[in-house]
Amino acid sequence: MPTETPRTRTPSTVRVAGSLVVLEGVIAIGFAVYSVIRAWSGNYDQSVSNGYGLALWLSILFGGVLAAGIALLRGAHWGRSIAVVAQLLLLPVVWSLLTDSHQVLLGALMGLIVVPALVLLFSPATTRWLASDYVPEDER
């Protein structure tokens, strides 16, 4: 009887990528909470942007990213697809922060999370792990 669990078979590249994706989700959810607090305080002009709407959008979008990161940490394959899409969507944001927005520090910090996560999600160990479900039982 094998004693391996999905978590023990999960390569470290997947777990580190999952940790980075969880970090992204936690930061975005934290910013959503900040937006609600700022909008609720009344000291913020809601005519330019709606703090409640931003918080809702961030919670929905990055709630999924957070769930994907947790899934990767637990060894669930479905988390990888959501994490890859999130990283690919965040790459232009990093580029914009580094160039047009002149927010070099924020762009560099975000890039230090997004780029390694994307590299880890496409690493050979990760792709072998993902393909392991498609190997016939007699070849395992």
Side-chain angles (χ1 to χ4, degrees), residues 11-17 80 84 115-131:
S12 61
T13 55
V14 174
R15 281 189 251 125
V16 172
R80 181 180 179 263
V84 166
V115 173
L118 193 58
V119 168
L120 289 168
L121 289 168
F122 282 105
S123 72
T126 303
T127 54
R128 276 192 305 273
W129 168 74
L130 189 64

Side-chain angles (χ1 to χ4, degrees), residues 91-104 107:
L91 276 177
V93 175
V94 170
W95 180 256
S96 177
L97 287 170
L98 290 171
T99 57
D100 299 337
S101 298
H102 306 292
Q103 299 286 330
V104 178

Side-chain angles (χ1 to χ4, degrees), residues 35 38-52 54:
S35 295
R38 188 170 75 168
W40 184 63
S41 71
N43 297 332
Y44 175 66
D45 183 16
Q46 294 273 342
S47 66
V48 176
S49 69
N50 187 333
Y52 299 116
L54 176 65

